[in-house]
Amino acid sequence: METTDNVTMCQYYSIEAGNFTLAGEAAGQIKNNLKQLGIDAALVKKVAIASYEAEMNLVIHSNGGRLIFKINPKVITIIAQDDGPGIKDIELAMKEGYSTAPDTARELGFGAGMGLPNMKRCADRFVIRSEEGKGTEVELSFNLS
Amino acid sequence: MIVEQIVKELSLKVLTGRDHLKREISSVYCGDLLSRVMAKSSKSSLWITIQTHVNIVAVATLLEMACIMIPEDIAVDEKTLAKAEEEHVVILSSPLSAYTLSGRLYSFGIFSE
Ligand SMILES: Nc1ncnc2c1ncn2[C@@H]1O[C@H](COP(=O)(O)OP(=O)(O)O)[C@@H](O)[C@H]1O
Ligand SMILES: [Mg+2]
């Protein structure tokens, strides 16, 4: 993670588990921030997609967590952290099409099993750490230069 | 083509975003799995979906779509309509199926990416 010295902006969004009505708000605000900062449209789109997928995973799969957005002149960083339940088999979770989303989420169009692969594809750097019973952290970086 | 022309040609109902019908449509995407739509659709697209939950507004806003098209007269949640108005998202509705709507749009010369 970069040092905090040159962070030009840092924002923190608390994400509630199971709240599908508010889902996507944090990603929307992150996107608006980037547009206001004049970031290139193609990059804004990538960050928006990845943030949305990260936010939705907190809503659907976690007990609640937070989405952190940071930007400095070199890199945009998105961090999704939660307080459990954690992922047992990360390799399996990364497989396109694999999903443990409940029927209630699937009925709304979630659970394609493409969220983590979408994040990885959009970001320049993708790191996922998880411990069963503890929680999950996904860190995404997007190069600005 | 702009949204307004399609509304006319296909006799669509405009459920939300009446003031934003001059948007240009660059492509069409049809699908109901949101992650797939996020990955495959793009800016200024027309999105045909049977999903009517409020989250379709978030998807359309994040991707800056031209409009959402709901087939088969499927009822759209009140919450979705309110949110769409707030976010300037155009939602259109038709009694026709997704298949028929896609066919008509294709015949207008609007293709997918
Ligand atoms: N924050 C999380 N906490 C627990 N499990 C998770 C989390 N994020 C992802 N997963 C697991 O990884 C799987 C794949 O995630 P993803 O690729 O986003 O697909 P989807 O969300 O459609 O299921 C999920 O179904 C879930 O089992
Ligand atoms: Mg997901």
Side-chain angles (χ1 to χ4, degrees), chain A residues 20 25 31 35 52-53 109, chain B residues 34-35 41 55 61 64 83:
Chain A
F20 288 97
E25 293 273 323
K31 183 194 157 200
K35 287 194 89 173
Y52 177 78
E53 294 289 5
Chain B
L34 303 185
S35 286
S41 184
N55 240 260
T61 309
E64 299 178 20
K83 186 77 180 165

Side-chain angles (χ1 to χ4, degrees), chain B residues 11 21 33 54 58 63 69 73 76 81 87 113:
Chain B
S11 308
L21 302 183
L33 289 175
V54 67
L63 292 179
M69 190 182 271
D73 274 339
V76 180
L81 297 176
E87 300 281 343
E113 301 265 286

Side-chain angles (χ1 to χ4, degrees), chain B residues 4-5 9 13-14 20 23-25 29-30 32 37 41 47 50-51 55 58 68 74-75 81-82 84 91-92 99:
Chain B
E4 197 169 51
Q5 285 170 286
E9 293 288 339
K13 269 174 276 177
V14 180
H20 307 284
R23 286 179 191 157
E24 185 72 31
I25 295 167
Y29 191 80
C30 189
D32 308 311
V37 176
S41 184
W47 175 28
I50 59 165
Q51 297 293 349
N55 240 260
I68 301 173
I74 298 168
L81 297 176
I91 303 182
L92 310 170
Y99 171 75

Side-chain angles (χ1 to χ4, degrees), chain A residues 53 56-57 60-61 111 113-116 119, chain B residues 35:
Chain A
E53 294 289 5
M56 289 321 306
N57 277 1
I60 299 168
H61 305 294
M114 289 177 68
L116 292 171
M119 289 179 227
Chain B
S35 286

Side-chain angles (χ1 to χ4, degrees), chain B:
Chain B
M1 263 179 122
I2 62 168
V3 176
E4 197 169 51
Q5 285 170 286
I6 287 173
V7 168
K8 225 187 218 166
E9 293 288 339
L10 297 177
S11 308
L12 303 171
K13 269 174 276 177
V14 180
L15 302 185
T16 65
R18 223 160 242 298
D19 298 336
H20 307 284
L21 302 183
K22 302 283 183 211
R23 286 179 191 157
E24 185 72 31
I25 295 167
S26 62
S27 64
V28 177
Y29 191 80
C30 189
D32 308 311
L33 289 175
L34 303 185
S35 286
R36 196 161 274 284
V37 176
M38 285 303 275
K40 304 286 181 179
S41 184
S42 56
K43 189 179 160 85
S44 301
S45 59
L46 178 159
W47 175 28
I48 305 177
T49 184
I50 59 165
Q51 297 293 349
T52 57
H53 184 262
V54 67
N55 240 260
I56 61 173
V57 177
V59 171
T61 309
L62 284 169
L63 292 179
E64 299 178 20
M65 289 176 171
C67 61
I68 301 173
M69 190 182 271
I70 310 288
E72 298 177 10
D73 274 339
I74 298 168
V76 180
D77 304 0
E78 279 302 322
K79 255 189 205 162
T80 307
L81 297 176
K83 186 77 180 165
E85 287 294 4
E86 194 184 312
E87 300 281 343
H88 312 300
V89 168
V90 177
I91 303 182
L92 310 170
S93 165
S94 166
L96 302 174
S97 70
Y99 171 75
T100 305
L101 289 167
S102 302
R104 297 289 304 278
L105 290 164
Y106 199 89
S107 78
F108 297 156
I110 310 169
F111 308 115
S112 50
E113 301 265 286

Side-chain angles (χ1 to χ4, degrees), chain A residues 37-93:
Chain A
L37 290 168
I39 306 297
D40 166 69
L43 182 57
V44 173
K45 184 183 175 189
K46 284 186 193 171
V47 180
I49 292 172
S51 304
Y52 177 78
E53 294 289 5
E55 182 179 0
M56 289 321 306
N57 277 1
L58 294 177
V59 173
I60 299 168
H61 305 294
S62 88
N63 304 328
R66 55 229 146 253
L67 202 64
I68 299 159
F69 161 76
K70 289 194 255 181
I71 180 166
N72 70 32
K74 286 205 177 118
V75 67
I76 297 165
T77 310
I78 302 286
I79 301 169
Q81 287 173 345
D82 65 58
D83 310 315
I87 301 173
K88 193 173 184 178
D89 185 341
I90 292 181
E91 203 181 320
L92 185 60

